[in-house]
Amino acid sequence: MDLRVPGPTPLPPPVREALAAEMINHRGAEFRALLAAVTAGLQHVLQTEGDVLVLTGSGTGAMEAAIVNLISPGDRVLAVTVGAFGDRFAEVAQAFGAEVSTVASPWGRAANALALEDALARTPHVRLVLVTHNETSTGVTNDLRALAEVVGARRGEGGPLLVVDAVSSAGAIPLPVDAWGCDVAITGSQKAWMAPPGVSMLSMSERAWAAAERATCPRYYWDLRKACRAAERHETPWTPAVNALQGLHAALAMMRAEGLEAIYARHRRVAHRMREGAKALGLELFADPAHASNTVTTLRVPEGVDGEMLLRRVRELGVTLAGGQGALKGRIIRVGHMGYVDTADIDRVLQALAAALG
Amino acid sequence: MDLRVPGPTPLPPPVREALAAEMINHRGAEFRALLAAVTAGLQHVLQTEGDVLVLTGSGTGAMEAAIVNLISPGDRVLAVTVGAFGDRFAEVAQAFGAEVSTVASPWGRAANALALEDALARTPHVRLVLVTHNETSTGVTNDLRALAEVVGARRGEGGPLLVVDAVSSAGAIPLPVDAWGCDVAITGSQKAWMAPPGVSMLSMSERAWAAAERATCPRYYWDLRKACRAAERHETPWTPAVNALQGLHAALAMMRAEGLEAIYARHRRVAHRMREGAKALGLELFADPAHASNTVTTLRVPEGVDGEMLLRRVRELGVTLAGGQGALKGRIIRVGHMGYVDTADIDRVLQALAAALG
C-alpha cells in the first residue's frame, strides 16, 4: 500500500530496521550519544544554533508546550490562521487563558503579511504571534519570511515572539529558523522526518527562554525548563520514545547524506509533478496556486463525484490518500508528498486517480 | 546486552518485528482495528469494563492527564508517597494548583493504610487520593487492595477518587481495577507491557468521567473528554504513536497467550530468584521484604563498594542495571524484572553481580 496522506509518512527501510533495534537504557551512554546526534541533526536541518528539544508527544503536544511555556493567563496572542491547524493553535492558546485575536484568511488562501502588520499595529502588547508555516488542511504554504519580517520589525523590548507551526514544512521546505527570526519552531517526527509518529521537536531562541522564565501558566510534563536542564546532559526529563528516536536518527543520517538543497529540490519536483499531473486529469487545485504547498497537494473533488467513494476506489488500487477536514470533508482530497517520496510515487498516485475517476 | 533496568524493558522478537512494520494511516480502518484490539487487550489485563485510553506520552504525561482532568485549582489532594514517583505525582498535582497533603512512608517501606485512614479522617473535602501501586525508585509494592478499601469506605457523594500510578505494576502484578475500585489506573508501554516507551495508558471509571466534566484545570492535549470522543470511533484526537501501538498489540497477544495467572506467577518466580540469589551473594535487600516488589528488586550497595563502579563492572559483563534515584544515588542498585523476563535472565544478572563483586 502506498501511504500518501499528509503524515504519518512512509518509513524508509533503514528507519524500519532502526525501529526494530534492541531496546536500550534511556539513562545510559548509548542513549546520550543517540540524543546528542539527533539534536545536532535537527539543528542542522532547522538551521539554528539555538536549543532544539525532543518531546514525547504529537505535534499538538508541542504546540501546547510552546503556549504553556511562553504565556501567562491573560496575555495577548495573535494567531495567523489559514486552516484547521492554525485554528487549532489559536484554540490551544485560548485553552490556557490567552486573549487570542486571529488574522484569518479564507481556506485555500495564504496569510497576508499586510493584514498581520495592521493587526499588530492595532493590538497593543501582543506577546506571541502564532503562524502556520505549511497548513496541512488546505495545502497552503505561507510566506513565512514575509510574515517573520513583519514580526521582526516590532522586535525589541516587549515585542512579540514568533512561534511557528512547522509540523508539515520543516525538513522539506526551507526554514532557516535563526535567519528568519523564528523564536519557536515546532515539527513532528512523522512528517518530512521519515520517522514514526510519537516525537515532536521544538526550537527555542534566547528570547523564548527569557519568556519561559517569566510565564506563569501551570506546567509540568511540558515544562521546557526541565527539558533544557536534562538536555544539557543529553537526556530527557521523562522516559523518551527511545525506538522512535532510533528511527529518527536513521532518517536524519539519510537527510544529511542527501543534503538540504537536494531535499528541497526533490520536494519541489515531486509537488510540481503532482500538481501538473492532477491538472492533466482535469482536477482543479484547491489551494491558491501561488502558495500551493510542496508537501501536501489539495484537489477539489469534481462536481458529481462522491469524495469518500473516490478515496475508497483509489485505496482499492493500492494508494491511501486523505480527505478534507472540517467543512472540506467530502469536498477535497489531500495528497501527502513529504519525506520518503519521489516522482515515481507520484506517478502511481496519478495512475490510481486516473483509474478511479475514469 | 541484557537490559535489566526498571523500564524500558527488553522487546520480544515479535514486538520488534511489529515495530518495523509498514506505516499505516492513523485515520484508516486498519488503524481503527489496531486501536480496538489494543484497547480490548488492555481492558482484559487491567480487568476493567471501564474506558481505557491510549495517550502519546510517557507515564508522567498520563499522571498530568489524570490531574488536569480530575481537579480544579484549589482542590484538596492526598498523595500517598513511598518514594520518588509518589513524590512526583504530588508535584504534578501541586503544579496544577491542588492543595496537596502527603501521607509519606520512609523510602524502602510500604504505605500504611491506617495512616491513610487517619489522614482522610482529618482532612475534609479530599477530591483525589493518589497512590503508587509499585514504587519503582525503592522496589516496594504497596498493598493497594488495603489502601483502596480505605478510600472505598468514604465513597459516595463527594468522596475522594482513587488514582493509581500503576506504571510499573500493571501487567505483572495483580491489579483488578474494577474489583478494587480504582477510578483511574495509569501505566506505560515500556514496563510490563514489553513495548517501547512513548505510549501511556489510563483507565477511567464512571465517577472519574463525572469529575472530568466538573474539573476546571486548563487542558487541551491531555483533555480526556476529547480522547474519549475519538475512542468511540477507535481513533485518537491527535496523531498517535502508530508503530509503538503495533508493538504493544504484538505484546498483548503474547500476554493473552500466556494468561494473566501465568504472568503473575512468572513475575513472582523471577523476583523470588532475584532476591534469594542476591542474599546468597551477601547482598542486602533495600526494600522491606514484606513488601518487596515482583517487578523491581533494590539492593544496598555493600559498605566500601563504589555503587557507580559496581554498575559499570556489571555492564562490562553484559548486564545493564540501574542505580538509585535522588538520595539513594550510589547507595542502592535496582534490577528491573518485568515484562519479557524469566529466571534464566535473572541467573545472568546474578552471575554478573557475583563476578563484579568478587
Side-chain angles (χ1 to χ4, degrees):
Chain A
M1 180 65 73
D2 282 359
L3 183 63
R4 295 266 75 97
V5 301
T9 59
L11 304 173
V15 173
R16 289 171 61 179
E17 201 178 310
L19 292 172
E22 235 179 32
M23 185 48 59
I24 59 171
N25 180 16
H26 68 302
R27 297 293 181 224
E30 199 180 343
F31 178 80
R32 286 191 290 269
L34 173 70
L35 188 58
V38 164
T39 304
L42 293 168
Q43 286 171 316
H44 170 70
V45 177
L46 295 173
Q47 300 171 59
T48 180
E49 292 181 1
D51 290 309
V52 177
L53 300 170
V54 162
L55 307 173
T56 306
S58 81
T60 303
M63 285 175 167
E64 178 165 319
I67 295 297
V68 298
N69 281 278
L70 298 177
I71 68 159
S72 304
D75 276 358
R76 188 160 289 281
V77 168
L78 204 56
V80 177
T81 175
V82 304
F85 289 92
D87 289 354
R88 182 181 292 181
F89 214 168
E91 269 180 35
V92 176
Q94 253 153 1
F96 291 95
E99 294 290 324
V100 180
S101 318
T102 56
V103 181
S105 299
W107 288 32
R109 298 302 193 85
N112 186 321
L114 290 176
L116 172 60
E117 197 161 359
D118 278 359
L120 278 171
R122 274 185 285 108
T123 323
H125 307 306
V126 172
R127 284 273 188 204
L128 308 182
V129 174
L130 310 180
V131 174
T132 318
H133 188 193
N134 186 79
E135 176 55 60
T136 317
S137 67
T138 61
V140 164
T141 302
N142 281 320
D143 185 348
L144 180 60
R145 195 209 306 235
L147 297 165
E149 271 171 15
V150 170
V151 178
R154 297 182 167 264
R155 273 287 153 72
E157 202 58 46
L161 296 178
L162 175 61
V163 182
V164 179
D165 166 359
V167 170
S168 63
S169 62
I173 296 173
L175 174 59
V177 162
D178 290 354
W180 287 0
C182 305
D183 292 298
V184 177
I186 294 162
T187 183
S189 53
Q190 81 281 15
K191 303 285 186 179
W193 306 95
M194 305 187 287
V199 171
S200 49
M201 301 86 92
L202 175 149
S203 72
M204 289 283 282
S205 72
E206 289 291 341
R207 297 174 74 239
W209 281 123
E213 291 301 331
R214 287 191 307 267
T216 63
C217 261
R219 56 197 133 143
Y220 193 90
Y221 184 76
W222 301 120
D223 191 335
L224 297 176
R225 295 165 302 179
K226 288 190 173 79
C228 183
R229 282 195 295 275
E232 281 167 16
R233 52 178 197 277
H234 306 302
E235 289 188 359
T236 57
W238 329 121
T239 309
V242 175
N243 98 309
L245 291 173
Q246 288 169 320
L248 182 56
H249 182 245
L252 285 165
M254 291 174 66
M255 291 172 81
R256 204 180 274 266
E258 184 175 2
L260 288 186
E261 289 308 321
I263 290 172
Y264 303 148
R266 175 166 54 80
H267 282 87
R268 280 195 299 271
R269 192 167 66 232
V270 156
H272 180 77
R273 175 85 67 120
M274 183 64 223
R275 291 190 290 260
E276 294 307 308
K279 283 190 261 178
L281 293 175
L283 291 166
E284 198 187 334
L285 297 182
F286 173 74
D288 175 358
H291 299 281
S293 164
N294 284 341
T295 61
V296 187
T297 293
T298 47
L299 302 168
R300 290 185 193 277
V301 173
E303 203 70 39
V305 172
D306 178 333
E308 291 298 307
M309 183 71 84
L310 178 60
L311 288 178
R312 200 152 47 236
R313 270 196 226 131
V314 168
R315 196 157 53 237
E316 281 161 13
L317 296 163
V319 177
T320 303
L321 303 179
Q325 291 170 292
L328 292 178
K329 198 172 157 69
R331 291 177 48 209
I332 66 168
I333 58 175
R334 295 181 300 148
V335 184
H337 36 75
M338 60 190 109
Y340 189 51
V341 60
D342 213 332
T343 42
D345 301 298
I346 298 305
D347 291 343
R348 283 201 299 283
V349 171
L350 292 167
Q351 280 157 22
L353 273 174
L357 286 165
Chain B
M1 181 65 73
D2 283 358
L3 183 63
R4 295 265 74 96
V5 301
T9 60
L11 304 172
V15 173
R16 289 171 61 180
E17 201 179 309
L19 291 172
E22 233 179 33
M23 185 49 58
I24 59 171
N25 180 14
H26 68 303
R27 298 292 181 224
E30 198 180 344
F31 179 79
R32 287 191 289 269
L34 172 70
L35 187 59
V38 164
T39 304
L42 293 169
Q43 287 172 315
H44 170 70
V45 177
L46 295 173
Q47 301 171 58
T48 181
E49 292 181 0
D51 291 309
V52 177
L53 300 170
V54 164
L55 307 174
T56 306
S58 82
T60 302
M63 285 175 167
E64 178 164 318
I67 295 298
V68 299
N69 281 277
L70 298 176
I71 68 159
S72 303
D75 277 357
R76 188 160 287 282
V77 168
L78 205 55
V80 178
T81 175
V82 304
F85 289 92
D87 289 353
R88 182 181 293 182
F89 214 168
E91 268 181 36
V92 176
Q94 253 152 3
F96 291 95
E99 293 290 323
V100 180
S101 318
T102 57
V103 181
S105 299
W107 287 31
R109 298 302 193 84
N112 186 321
L114 291 175
L116 173 59
E117 198 160 359
D118 279 0
L120 278 171
R122 275 185 283 108
T123 321
H125 308 305
V126 172
R127 284 273 187 203
L128 308 183
V129 175
L130 310 180
V131 174
T132 319
H133 188 194
N134 186 79
E135 177 54 61
T136 316
S137 68
T138 62
V140 164
T141 303
N142 281 319
D143 185 349
L144 180 60
R145 196 209 307 238
L147 297 165
E149 272 171 15
V150 169
V151 179
R154 295 180 170 265
R155 274 286 153 73
E157 201 57 47
L161 296 179
L162 176 61
V163 182
V164 179
D165 166 0
V167 170
S168 64
S169 62
I173 296 173
L175 174 59
V177 162
D178 289 354
W180 288 359
C182 304
D183 292 297
V184 177
I186 294 162
T187 184
S189 54
Q190 81 281 17
K191 303 286 186 178
W193 306 95
M194 306 188 287
V199 171
S200 50
M201 302 86 91
L202 174 149
S203 72
M204 288 283 283
S205 71
E206 289 290 342
R207 297 173 74 239
W209 281 123
E213 291 300 332
R214 287 191 307 268
T216 63
C217 261
R219 54 197 133 143
Y220 193 90
Y221 184 76
W222 301 121
D223 191 336
L224 297 177
R225 296 164 301 180
K226 288 190 173 80
C228 184
R229 283 195 295 275
E232 281 167 15
R233 53 177 197 275
H234 307 302
E235 289 188 359
T236 56
W238 329 123
T239 309
V242 175
N243 98 310
L245 291 174
Q246 287 169 320
L248 182 56
H249 182 246
L252 285 165
M254 291 175 67
M255 291 173 80
R256 205 180 271 266
E258 184 176 2
L260 288 186
E261 289 309 321
I263 291 172
Y264 302 149
R266 175 166 54 80
H267 282 87
R268 280 195 300 271
R269 193 165 66 232
V270 157
H272 180 77
R273 175 85 67 121
M274 185 63 223
R275 291 190 290 260
E276 293 307 308
K279 282 190 262 178
L281 293 176
L283 291 166
E284 199 186 334
L285 298 181
F286 173 74
D288 176 358
H291 298 282
S293 163
N294 284 341
T295 61
V296 187
T297 293
T298 48
L299 302 167
R300 289 185 193 278
V301 173
E303 203 70 40
V305 172
D306 178 332
E308 290 298 307
M309 183 72 84
L310 178 59
L311 288 177
R312 200 152 47 236
R313 271 197 225 129
V314 168
R315 194 158 53 238
E316 281 161 13
L317 296 162
V319 177
T320 303
L321 304 178
Q325 291 170 294
L328 292 178
K329 196 172 160 66
R331 291 178 47 209
I332 66 169
I333 58 176
R334 296 181 299 148
V335 184
H337 37 75
M338 60 189 110
Y340 190 49
V341 60
D342 212 332
T343 42
D345 301 299
I346 298 304
D347 291 342
R348 282 201 300 282
V349 172
L350 291 167
Q351 280 158 22
L353 273 174
L357 287 164

